[in-house]
Structure formats: structure tokens, C-alpha cells
Amino acid sequence: MLGVMDRFIIIFEKSKLSMSKFATILGKDRRTLLTWIENRDKKTLSDEVKSIICSHFRYSKEIWDCDESEFYHYINEIDDSNLKIIDDGYEMLLKYIYENENEGSLILHPTFPNPAYRDFVIQSVYKDFDSQEAAKYRQKRGLKMRAYSFGASEWYSIKSLLEFCFANIGNFYTKEQKIQILELMIATFRDNLNKSIYFFDSYDKKIYGLDMFYLSLNIKEKKMFLKLPLETTIVEIKNSDLVSKIHTHYTHAKKCPAHIDPKDAVMIMELILESIKDGNDLESTCNKIDNLSSYGNLFTKVISRS
């Protein structure tokens, strides 16, 4: 039967950390740790030290009292049941998103617009890697997302909205396509109590902006998934604490980033649509928003001033 100190030494050796680093994790100094190891037959561990080890290395608290075979199982097999990687190709990625983006989802978009609206207007963006199966799931997802009764909250940064409308670099949309997409989104969200669209200040809490991967979260299902910076890979996470923490950050009035109230978001899109039709530039559009709404500061702060 392995004693507590035997288990401690095995964990220390498995960590491959220096004695100084391991001691720092425990809030001790190197000499104290060395004394423990040299006097293993006389030393026992406090509950505090045991708890620190379990917390830092993600071990079950059972490691100190279980039998030897269970001990090795616990330290060699970290529970990853909360994490799943989906990497079965582009078609399966689209199928997964279609099947898992359900009612009540909170969706954080790295760019504007959501492909569900973009794909209704533009198809050629996929010409280099498209397939009938992929096109089928894009269409099915688009129909679901655009349906009036489908309840979801969509978050976009103000920066990504302005980039879509006015950027010259990395922007393949024509003026006509921009107008069509904005008109579609305005029609989708106007007076629709099932859907909410938020434009938030991604620089509210970080000087470099809050850039994020595509993330879809469902608090009822205690599940979220995000797209990695690869064409075909999604990570699904079922950690309820993490899901709740992120959900709270974007729904709690005092915690979420500064944003346009969803009841005013359509009005802001209408002002921008009018500017695009009139051929106005970015700065004049921001000035218009400043004059005609209470959200001017959220727009003017994201553009450079000479």
C-alpha cells in the first residue's frame, strides 16, 4: 500500500518540475520540500497541501486514500469528458453547427455578418472548397437562423460592423451586396422579440480589442462550442461553470462590454445603410450616428483621428 508521502513523491517526479518550482506551487521553499522527501517515513501532508496538489494538477481528491491501481489511474488519466474535438472535415463541421446551434443560443461572431445572412446573398466565397453536402447544410442552417421564430442572441463588435461597411482591405463585398445583407438583417431583427442583435465595444476593457473565435453558447444545455483557427475544427465544451461564467459576462448589465441596446441596433444599421447608399465615408457616418443617436462615442472612439 502506497503511503501519502510515496504518492506525493510519485506526483512530484511525474510533474518533471524542479524542486524550487514545485515548492513554489505549494507555497513553500525548496529546503522545506527537500526535508519532506528526506523524511518521508516521518512526514505527512496537511489537507491544505493535498488540496493544492489536486487543484493545480487537476487530480481527484481520492488519490490520497484509494488503492494503488486507482491512484495510478487517477494521475495518468485526466478526465477530459467535458472536452470534445470535432475534426471530420468541412461538411461535418457545418452539420455539427446546424445540429447544435439551438434555441436560446448566445452567439459571438468574430466578423460581421453571420454567414447565415451572407450566404443568402453571396455564394461564390466557397467556390474553392464547396461540395453539395456542405452547400446543403449551409442552406439548412441559414433557413433556421433567419427563421422569425428562431430565438437567439447575436453579438458583433462595432469594429467588425464598420470593417464590413467601409474597410478597403480584406473586404470582398460590393456596395450592392453590402446593401442587400444589411437590408436582410434589418428585416430579420426589426420588431422580432425572438431575436436580439448586439453591437459591442470590443475596446471597452482591452486596448487591443476583444477579438474572439466564433463561439456559440447555450446556457440551458450547459454547452458551448468554438471554432479553432483551422478550416474544419471545432471544440465542444460541457463545463457548466465555464459556460455560466461566459454567459453571465454577456448578459449581466454590470459585467458585459459597453454595447448598443438591441432595441436600437436596427436603427443603427438603418443609419449605416443610408450612408452606404449615399456614398458617405466612415468618418461622416460616425458623425451622423453621433448626431442622431446616443451611441456616437462607441463609434468615434474606434476610428483614428489625425
Side-chain angles (χ1 to χ4, degrees):
M1 179 72 176
L2 289 173
V4 170
M5 287 307 298
D6 294 321
R7 298 172 191 231
F8 173 80
I9 293 170
I10 291 169
I11 291 170
F12 166 60
E13 292 174 346
K14 185 177 185 297
S15 75
K16 299 189 184 305
L17 297 174
S18 69
M19 195 168 290
S20 296
K21 178 63 176 177
F22 200 90
T24 300
I25 292 170
L26 302 180
K28 308 294 181 181
D29 59 44
R30 183 182 180 280
R31 288 173 297 178
T32 298
L33 183 57
L34 182 59
T35 300
W36 289 1
I37 294 173
E38 290 177 344
N39 296 278
R40 69 172 75 181
D41 295 333
K42 301 176 182 179
K43 173 66 182 174
T44 188
L45 297 181
S46 68
D47 290 339
E48 180 185 8
V49 169
K50 291 178 182 178
S51 179
I52 291 172
I53 290 173
C54 290
S55 175
H56 184 85
F57 294 105
R58 295 192 298 152
Y59 292 145
S60 167
K61 294 180 180 179
E62 304 298 322
I63 62 172
W64 306 111
D65 301 307
C66 61
D67 63 37
E68 187 172 334
S69 63
E70 288 179 313
F71 168 75
Y72 283 110
H73 172 77
Y74 281 131
I75 69 169
N76 291 319
E77 300 292 334
I78 299 298
D79 180 17
D80 60 356
S81 60
N82 290 338
L83 189 68
K84 180 180 179 182
I85 296 176
I86 295 92
D87 188 15
D88 299 320
Y90 182 59
E91 292 82 1
M92 290 300 100
L93 176 142
L94 293 173
K95 181 176 185 289
Y96 175 89
I97 295 176
Y98 168 70
E99 292 177 346
N100 287 274
E101 205 149 58
N102 299 320
E103 290 278 351
S105 291
L106 187 158
I107 308 165
L108 307 178
H109 296 275
T111 58
F112 181 94
N114 179 338
Y117 311 104
R118 179 194 65 199
D119 295 351
F120 189 75
V121 175
I122 304 172
Q123 299 296 322
S124 60
V125 65
Y126 302 105
K127 61 185 178 181
D128 293 334
F129 53 92
D130 204 4
S131 69
Q132 289 186 342
E133 187 75 1
K136 179 184 77 172
Y137 280 109
R138 280 203 311 275
Q139 182 181 36
K140 291 176 71 172
R141 176 173 178 263
L143 289 171
K144 181 168 80 169
M145 291 294 298
R146 296 191 300 270
Y148 188 88
S149 61
F150 183 79
S153 296
E154 299 187 34
W155 284 73
Y156 303 89
S157 71
I158 291 171
K159 174 189 172 187
S160 72
L161 172 63
L162 294 178
E163 285 176 338
F164 163 76
C165 296
F166 301 105
N168 293 322
I169 297 175
N171 192 335
F172 57 81
Y173 301 98
T174 65
K175 177 179 178 179
E176 290 72 23
Q177 289 169 340
K178 294 175 185 177
I179 290 171
Q180 284 181 274
I181 290 170
L182 282 171
E183 287 178 338
L184 175 61
M185 295 188 71
I186 288 168
T188 301
F189 286 94
R190 180 189 283 127
D191 300 325
N192 189 340
L193 299 179
N194 296 310
K195 299 180 185 292
S196 299
I197 184 168
Y198 295 81
F199 295 111
F200 73 101
D201 178 10
S202 58
Y203 298 94
D204 184 28
K205 303 181 188 305
K206 294 178 64 176
I207 191 171
Y208 294 113
L210 187 62
D211 298 318
M212 63 191 74
F213 303 136
Y214 184 100
L215 188 150
S216 182
L217 179 153
N218 196 302
I219 191 65
K220 293 181 181 178
E221 299 174 1
K222 299 296 183 184
K223 181 175 73 173
M224 69 182 189
F225 65 85
L226 58 92
K227 291 177 67 175
L228 295 184
L230 301 167
E231 289 291 344
T232 62
T233 306
I234 279 179
V235 173
E236 177 188 274
I237 300 171
K238 292 185 177 179
N239 184 300
S240 59
D241 290 339
L242 179 60
V243 170
S244 296
K245 185 174 183 179
I246 295 176
H247 184 265
T248 299
H249 182 72
Y250 285 93
T251 56
H252 193 287
K254 294 183 178 180
K255 295 183 179 181
C256 65
H259 60 276
I260 295 169
D261 192 291
K263 71 177 185 294
D264 296 324
V266 168
M267 176 266 291
I268 293 296
M269 285 194 286
E270 289 174 333
L271 290 177
I272 292 175
L273 174 62
E274 182 182 275
S275 283
I276 293 176
K277 288 181 176 179
D278 293 342
N280 297 334
D281 62 13
L282 170 61
E283 188 165 347
S284 63
T285 300
C286 289
N287 288 335
K288 178 197 292 186
I289 292 171
D290 190 27
N291 292 331
L292 299 178
S293 78
S294 60
Y295 300 105
N297 64 312
L298 294 181
F299 284 82
T300 55
K301 71 180 289 190
V302 303
I303 60 176
S304 299
R305 296 293 183 179
S306 58

